[in-house]
Amino acid sequence: MLLFHWGRHRIIIMMLDDLGPRICIMGPSNSGKSTLADAISRVRGLKTVHLDQLSHLPHTDWLSRNSEEFKALHDAEILSSSWIIEGNYSSLLPQRLERATGFILLDVPTPVSLYRYLRRCWVKGVRLGGLEGSHDSMKWSMIRHIIGTTRSNRNRYKRLFNDISLPKVELNTTKALSNFYRVNGLKLLQS
């Protein structure tokens, strides 16, 4: 942990080492969870687990697995000694938090999430956390989710964050996220 003084304010910056070998990343859709997980995994040597990939069938247009199969895949992953798991799936969060050693909450502004979603749909290519054999296509339901559902999710994630006793960091602006990348020596994957 780094401690800075700025005038009368103390600024504490959580470092990756403070978060331990099993890190959960949560946040709204298109907030940068997959990208951050990948950057951390490359620096720390942790296996990245994208919950969307466990929850959905590859080579489909986001067709969900049955819940028992998803839970079995999830529970097998959290038994490992080290990982970085990105995604929400709140129904499985209790067992994930039982094994986690650190927690990161991403909460970039809604316009940023919406922009990232549209860019993802328009700029084709392989994306981190995407489904094997599938390409993202623009869906009105996803746009409505980002604009509407995300607001109530943000409030729920904030309450959850406040209740978690693990080492944790909240990154709620693009500047905070950039600073976290910088102070921890994280780099975006160059395509």
Side-chain angles (χ1 to χ4, degrees):
M1 199 175 321
L2 292 177
L3 175 64
F4 296 98
H5 290 279
W6 186 41
R8 294 182 306 201
H9 302 283
R10 288 178 11 160
I11 300 170
I12 299 172
I13 297 177
M14 186 72 62
M15 300 299 291
L16 282 177
D17 288 343
D18 299 322
L19 299 175
R22 292 182 301 279
I23 303 169
C24 288
I25 300 178
M26 288 183 66
S29 298
N30 300 279
S31 59
K33 297 180 300 290
S34 297
T35 303
L36 179 59
D38 177 71
I40 292 172
S41 74
R42 284 185 280 113
V43 166
R44 295 283 308 279
L46 302 175
K47 177 183 180 185
T48 302
V49 178
H50 302 283
L51 291 181
D52 280 345
Q53 291 176 343
L54 297 184
S55 177
H56 297 88
L57 295 167
H59 305 284
T60 68
D61 191 18
W62 296 94
L63 182 64
S64 294
R65 293 182 195 272
N66 72 55
S67 59
E68 294 81 25
E69 184 180 0
F70 172 45
K71 182 183 182 307
L73 291 169
H74 172 275
D75 291 352
E77 291 292 352
I78 65 173
L79 291 177
S80 298
S81 61
S82 62
W83 41 256
I84 182 152
I85 296 180
E86 66 83 13
N88 300 319
Y89 300 92
S90 299
S91 66
L92 300 177
L93 185 60
Q95 58 262 47
R96 197 159 61 245
L97 289 178
E98 284 261 331
R99 294 274 305 140
T101 57
F103 185 85
I104 300 172
L105 177 62
L106 291 182
D107 193 14
V108 299
T110 298
V112 173
S113 294
L114 185 58
Y115 168 76
R116 288 176 176 172
Y117 174 68
L118 295 174
R119 183 182 66 196
R120 169 185 296 173
C121 294
W122 291 330
V123 178
K124 299 301 180 200
V126 177
R127 78 163 177 91
L128 299 169
L131 291 182
E132 180 183 339
S134 180
H135 296 286
D136 290 312
S137 59
M138 191 177 80
K139 295 175 178 57
W140 288 110
S141 60
M142 187 61 172
I143 292 172
R144 282 191 303 274
H145 176 80
I146 292 168
I147 293 171
T149 306
T150 295
R151 181 175 302 145
S152 62
N153 285 348
R154 282 181 202 283
N155 294 332
R156 190 166 40 89
Y157 297 155
K158 185 70 169 171
R159 286 190 306 274
L160 170 73
F161 181 82
N162 290 334
D163 291 342
I164 289 175
S165 60
L166 295 168
K168 58 189 175 182
V169 62
E170 179 181 13
L171 304 169
N172 57 11
T173 65
T174 53
K175 183 175 183 170
L177 184 56
S178 295
N179 286 338
F180 187 79
Y181 270 83
R182 185 179 44 75
V183 300
N184 286 290
L186 302 175
K187 300 200 181 331
L188 294 173
L189 186 63
Q190 300 300 315
S191 43

